[in-house]
């Protein structure tokens, strides 16, 4: 039930994983909060500079994992310098999952992202530029920009914004300016990975991705998100 606002964190170096006989950490790893519960509001928090956040389970730029009534992340950004990253590999930790530019994993009844920017590279199983995985409730994203490279170098569950499709989603004014790459094309998507429940509805309004960084042979576009060139996107993205 916390409210955190008006905070800047610069230069982050965190490593957390498999410290208990190769058992996953129960909660999560991030620059601001490892785990939230209840009704949580995060507003005007900036993570900047040289950022290295490494873990094996529920790893995010702002928040590792979230449960309970709701989480609202507004007017927040994770913007790293060149070489900054959020990542974890099975080679390092044995069993990795859920990596996000802002939040690694959320299982709240309601998850909201409003006016957010992710400008950092994310790499890991079930990864997304905004959130690695959302497994419960409803997800709303409005006014979001992803500039970083989102990848899954050891598998295929990866999405430009979201890495798992398990809940109804409302996506409005979202821009995937960065790139998506994966070892396997099956669950790799330019916006939302098709991994999960195909019956869940995703409502799209004014969302676009960067065609300059898209290879249809290697990345899916299951939501038929319209593409724009990088120059076109630069003229379209809001100044959040």
């Amino acid at each position: 039930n916390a409210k955190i606002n008006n905070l800047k964190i610069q230069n982050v170096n965190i490593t957390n994983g498999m410290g208990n006989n190769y058992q996953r950490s129960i909660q999560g790893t991030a620059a601001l909060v490892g785990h939230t519960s209840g009704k949580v509001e995060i507003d005007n928090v900036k993570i900047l500079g040289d950022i290295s956040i490494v873990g094996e389970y529920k790893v995010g730029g702002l928040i590792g994992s979230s449960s309970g009534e709701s989480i609202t992340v507004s007017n927040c950004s994770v913007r790293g310098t060149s070489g900054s990253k959020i990542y974890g590999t099975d080679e390092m930790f044995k069993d990795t999952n859920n990596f996000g530019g802002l939040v690694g994993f959320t299982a709240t009844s309601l998850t909201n992202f409003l006016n957010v920017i992710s400008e950092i590279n994310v790499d890991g199983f079930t990864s997304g530029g905004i959130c690695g995985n959302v497994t419960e409730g409803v997800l709303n994203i409005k006014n979001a920009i992803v500039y970083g490279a989102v990848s899954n170098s050891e598998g295929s569950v990866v999405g430009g914004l979201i890495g798992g499709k398990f809940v109804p989603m409302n996506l409005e004014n979202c821009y995937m300016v960065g790139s998506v790459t994966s070892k396997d094309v099956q669950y790799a998507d330019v916006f939302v990975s098709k991994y999960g429940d195909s019956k869940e509805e995703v409502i799209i309004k004014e969302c676009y991705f960067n065609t300059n960084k898209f290879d249809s042979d290697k990345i899916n576009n299951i939501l038929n998100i319209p593409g724009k060139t990088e120059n076109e996107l630069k003229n379209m993205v809001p100044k959040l």
Side-chain angles (χ1 to χ4, degrees):
N1 298 316
K3 292 185 178 180
I4 302 175
N5 55 64
N6 303 327
L7 180 66
K8 181 185 292 184
I9 299 175
Q10 188 159 353
N11 299 332
V12 177
N13 191 337
I14 299 173
T15 299
N16 176 37
M18 294 299 180
N20 183 26
N21 295 322
Y22 287 97
Q23 297 297 312
R24 279 179 172 171
S25 55
I26 296 173
Q27 305 296 356
T29 304
L32 181 67
V33 180
H35 177 75
T36 73
S37 63
K39 183 179 181 180
V40 176
E41 298 177 14
I42 311 292
D43 181 67
N44 193 31
V45 175
K46 317 293 184 187
I47 313 297
L48 306 168
D50 296 327
I51 303 169
S52 176
I53 304 175
V54 186
E56 94 285 2
Y57 194 46
K58 300 177 180 177
V59 185
L62 282 171
I63 297 165
S65 68
S66 185
S67 64
E69 182 179 348
S70 67
I71 183 168
T72 298
V73 177
S74 57
N75 306 306
C76 293
S77 59
V78 177
R79 309 190 79 161
T81 56
S82 176
S84 290
K85 53 191 173 183
I86 297 167
Y87 76 106
T89 66
D90 279 4
E91 183 179 359
M92 298 168 62
F93 295 120
K94 186 178 179 180
D95 190 12
T96 54
N97 213 348
N98 305 315
F99 297 82
L102 295 175
V103 177
F105 173 90
T106 175
T108 60
S109 299
L110 178 64
T111 300
N112 297 315
F113 292 96
L114 175 64
N115 301 332
V116 295
I117 296 174
S118 172
E119 191 172 1
I120 187 167
N121 296 337
V122 180
D123 185 20
F125 276 98
T126 316
S127 59
I130 298 295
C131 185
N133 205 359
V134 185
T135 62
E136 294 184 26
V138 176
L139 170 69
N140 299 311
I141 305 180
K142 184 175 182 179
N143 300 337
I145 309 171
V146 176
Y147 289 105
V150 187
S151 58
N152 190 339
S153 57
E154 294 183 323
S156 66
V157 182
V158 58
L161 266 70
I162 305 295
K165 183 176 176 288
F166 292 95
V167 303
M169 301 181 186
N170 298 292
L171 309 179
E172 181 177 353
N173 295 337
C174 297
Y175 303 87
M176 181 56 197
V177 184
S179 62
V180 179
T181 57
S182 177
K183 180 181 178 181
D184 188 337
V185 69
Q186 182 178 7
Y187 293 124
D189 194 272
V190 70
F191 240 65
V192 178
S193 170
K194 62 180 180 179
Y195 175 72
D197 189 347
S198 61
K199 298 178 182 178
E200 296 294 354
E201 184 179 17
V202 180
I203 298 174
I204 305 293
K205 183 178 180 181
E206 299 298 324
C207 294
Y208 304 94
F209 74 95
N210 187 350
T211 56
N212 292 77
K213 298 180 179 180
F214 174 67
D215 185 343
S216 60
D217 292 329
K218 297 179 180 180
I219 302 296
N220 298 296
N221 183 9
I222 62 169
L223 299 176
N224 295 315
I225 303 296
K228 298 288 183 180
T229 67
E230 191 158 337
N231 286 334
E232 288 174 327
L233 283 176
K234 287 179 181 178
N235 295 324
M236 295 174 64
V237 294
K239 295 181 179 180
L240 304 180

